[in-house]
Amino acid sequence: MKSCWIIYNGSLTSDKFRDQAELMKEAAERAGVQAFIKKNYEVLMNLHEELASPPHFVVFLDKDILLATYLKNAGIAVFNDPVVIETCDNKAKQYIQLATHNIPMPETIIAPKVYPNFTIEGSGYYEKVLETLGLPLIIKEGHGSFGMKVYLIETEKDFFEKVDALRGVDYVFQQFIATSRGRDIRVNIVGGEVVAAMHRSSQTDFRANITNGGVATVIELTKEQQTIAIRAAEAVGAEFAGVDLLFGENEQPLVCEVNAAAHIRNIYTVTGINVADRMIAYILRKLS
Ligand SMILES: Nc1ncnc2c1ncn2[C@@H]1O[C@H](COP(=O)(O)OP(=O)(O)O)[C@@H](O)[C@H]1O
Ligand SMILES: [Mg+2]
């Protein structure tokens, strides 16, 4: 019998992380795999001792990249691969990779690293960003989920305040796709195939995230939406991905982001498709 660990971040108190792990555990057990849920800090990364009773594979639902790397180096199959988790965990890094693969996306400028005593106004750099993207524009931190670190910047004053506050943080400037205000598509991909999709829309916010008030409905994807979502997941190397698509001019799909550990409860509720079953089936096929 195969065994697996399902790892989530035990320091996050919201129930949805545990719930995500439970969904995976049930799917693994349905497929005849012995599954153990572990909080990330329940695995002791002692580099001088062998890992006790390692599983055959790990479903990694966290962003503890060091732990993912540690487990991979111990010879365990980790899904997604730690390198992929790391790329996706930093939107700036991820956009560089998406652009390298010519994935259609909003015009994006990666912010430079600047230290605390740098004089922001008058450097010429930020003025150039404003000139290039115009207002409103989006500022998006590298690390962030559920829409929490994505800002719609409408005035120069807000712009300079935000860049001042983000010294030392990885972030990007991005064209605001006004045609997509308050709406997007979430596409779940497993092993290069679209397994489920939902349309999300919000009446109250430019962000369509459900956690942020977005309402989800089933959507039938166009061929182009499917192809772009699959290409985006491939571009970052993600075997499992939750790809967010925006609606550009004439509804042309643009990649908003690729999530390496997308939550799957909402898409299950909306579509009746349990992505966890597909993920486990994919892993078992790959390891057989
Ligand atoms: N460039 C953009 N133009 C318009 N809306 C955007 C843009 N980028 C993000 N959004 C909106 O903000 C939401 C959150 O952005 P996203 O990059 O997916 O970050 P998160 O990881 O927090 O979900 C998206 O689902 C979308 O509704
Ligand atoms: Mg998102």
Side-chain angles (χ1 to χ4, degrees):
M1 193 191 223
K2 281 219 179 336
S3 64
C4 77
W5 289 354
I6 295 149
I7 295 183
Y8 76 103
N9 195 297
S11 74
L12 296 169
T13 49
S14 164
D15 289 344
K16 60 187 168 200
F17 298 97
R18 181 77 196 188
D19 175 59
Q20 165 95 334
E22 297 284 356
L23 271 177
M24 287 305 313
K25 181 176 195 279
E26 287 159 20
E29 287 173 349
R30 268 195 296 281
V33 175
Q34 201 180 15
F36 303 93
I37 295 181
K38 281 191 188 285
K39 296 174 178 155
N40 61 321
Y41 60 74
E42 288 174 341
V43 183
L44 188 70
M45 287 190 265
N46 184 338
L47 303 183
H48 309 278
E49 275 177 15
E50 286 245 323
L51 192 62
S53 333
H56 291 102
F57 65 90
V58 168
V59 181
F60 208 85
L61 303 177
D62 189 25
K63 297 174 177 178
D64 190 333
I65 291 149
L66 296 177
L67 175 58
T69 308
Y70 167 82
L71 294 169
K72 182 182 173 184
N73 287 5
I76 305 167
V78 180
F79 297 90
N80 278 305
D81 188 276
V83 174
V84 174
I85 298 171
E86 187 163 22
T87 303
C88 291
D89 184 40
N90 185 337
K91 289 189 174 75
K93 203 167 175 182
Q94 167 185 147
Y95 287 129
I96 292 174
Q97 204 146 320
L98 292 175
T100 307
H101 287 81
N102 294 316
I103 305 297
M105 62 183 192
E107 189 174 349
T108 302
I109 297 171
I110 311 285
K113 184 190 274 299
V114 297
Y115 290 104
N117 50 9
F118 178 65
T119 313
I120 286 195
E121 263 182 273
S123 67
Y125 174 81
Y126 299 91
E127 289 78 0
K128 199 164 175 178
V129 171
L130 278 175
E131 204 181 296
T132 308
L133 296 179
L135 287 170
L137 57 77
I138 295 279
I139 287 184
K140 208 178 274 196
E141 293 188 36
H143 305 283
S145 307
F146 312 114
M148 285 184 310
K149 302 284 175 73
V150 179
Y151 316 103
L152 178 60
I153 305 294
E154 316 231 31
T155 65
E156 274 195 31
K157 182 172 169 286
D158 289 351
F159 175 82
F160 282 106
E161 272 174 18
K162 187 53 82 182
V163 298
D164 196 46
L166 290 180
R167 289 163 191 268
V169 173
D170 286 344
Y171 68 96
V172 304
F173 305 100
Q174 195 166 68
Q175 173 193 11
F176 174 56
I177 305 300
T179 43
S180 202
R181 182 187 281 267
R183 65 191 184 115
D184 74 358
I185 299 175
R186 163 56 61 84
V187 186
N188 279 80
I189 289 177
V190 174
E193 281 177 29
V194 171
V195 301
M198 62 183 170
H199 179 264
R200 306 185 292 190
S201 67
S202 173
Q203 299 297 325
T204 53
D205 201 288
F206 74 96
R207 293 161 296 190
N209 304 70
I210 294 175
T211 309
N212 218 48
V215 175
T217 50
V218 179
I219 186 174
E220 183 92 22
L221 297 183
T222 64
K223 191 83 200 111
E224 194 185 14
Q225 287 163 343
Q226 290 183 33
T227 307
I228 286 175
I230 291 168
R231 280 185 53 212
E234 269 170 12
V236 296
E239 293 169 283
F240 307 147
V243 181
D244 292 346
L245 296 178
L246 299 170
F247 297 93
E249 293 281 320
N250 305 316
E251 303 293 87
Q252 187 223 344
L254 297 171
V255 173
C256 176
E257 65 152 341
V258 182
N259 295 281
H263 282 242
I264 53 178
R265 170 62 71 184
N266 288 327
I267 201 133
Y268 185 23
T269 309
V270 171
T271 65
I273 297 167
N274 190 338
V275 177
D277 285 322
R278 300 291 293 267
M279 289 165 72
I280 296 292
Y282 171 84
I283 292 172
L284 292 179
R285 246 192 342 266
K286 187 167 174 184
L287 296 183
S288 68

